[in-house]
Amino acid sequence: EWEADLPLGDDVALWDYLASLDQVSRLSLLAHCLSFGINALHEKVNPYGSGISASGLTKRMTQSDLVAQAVELDMVEAGWQPTADTYLNRVPKARILEAVREAKGEGTAQLLDHLKKGEMATEAERLLKGSGWLPEVLRRHDLVALDGAEGQGTPEPVSDVEQAEDVDLPAFLTADLPGDDASMMAAE
């Protein structure tokens, strides 16, 4: 759309056009232009020379984090959720368990470790919903450094008792569990 609107090929007309834009339109055009120069894609480093180097990736991620800080980007606030489609089916089972462990604690993660990947991703999505958990590459490093930064990384540690009270487990995970508290204490 910008290409169709801009009088390309005539520098004087282009500058006149840019000068006539209101502030919102100018900032929109600036954001569009900047989007071509920012790459926050986290790629696998190739140790054999083709592709991105470790230092190149570090520089890229540092620069994209600076832009995220400048515009006060918060992926949780923007509405990103770790769903099976957006994240959980695209990472190994170990990473799914790590995500649940970070958000809900070790006890909850252990409840999923026996599941097949598809079932694990679906259950993890349900457990992570609304938790504010983000994969490391989506976390703003300035907010992670702050203690108690909501929605940016690992929450405060949760005790096993709190985990058991906070997690609403589906029937297939609780079918074999004893019903009374005395049996549960003996099982622990």
Side-chain angles (χ1 to χ4, degrees), residues 15-52:
W15 282 110
D16 290 341
Y17 175 81
L18 294 174
S20 70
L21 290 176
D22 60 68
Q23 183 72 3
V24 172
S25 297
R26 252 189 232 134
L27 290 175
S28 178
L29 177 57
L30 176 63
H32 174 71
C33 292
L34 284 173
S35 72
F36 288 102
I38 298 171
N39 183 351
L41 181 63
H42 191 278
E43 298 178 59
K44 187 175 182 178
V45 174
N46 187 337
Y48 303 110
S50 81
I52 192 162

Side-chain angles (χ1 to χ4, degrees), residues 75-187:
M75 291 301 290
V76 172
E77 193 175 292
W80 191 88
Q81 291 280 331
T83 66
D85 289 336
T86 62
Y87 181 73
L88 298 166
N89 277 332
R90 300 167 189 253
V91 297
K93 287 175 64 173
R95 184 65 188 115
I96 296 171
L97 292 172
E98 185 180 330
V100 172
R101 188 176 297 112
E102 287 179 7
K104 297 293 185 175
E106 180 64 36
T108 306
Q110 287 178 354
L111 293 172
L112 302 180
D113 65 0
H114 69 284
L115 298 175
K116 290 183 178 182
K117 184 172 178 179
E119 295 170 334
M120 183 184 287
T122 301
E123 269 311 298
E125 176 180 342
R126 189 182 67 76
L127 291 168
L128 294 172
K129 186 174 184 166
S131 70
W133 180 86
L134 291 173
E136 187 175 341
V137 296
L138 296 181
R139 298 175 192 167
R140 274 195 23 217
H141 295 91
D142 62 320
L143 295 180
V144 172
L146 299 174
D147 289 333
E150 191 172 319
Q152 298 290 330
T154 39
E156 293 296 318
V158 181
S159 73
D160 288 341
V161 173
E162 290 172 325
Q163 287 172 15
E165 293 171 358
D166 290 346
V167 177
D168 179 29
L169 298 174
F172 77 90
L173 288 176
T174 59
D176 296 335
L177 294 178
D180 62 337
D181 290 338
S183 298
M184 287 300 290
M185 291 171 78

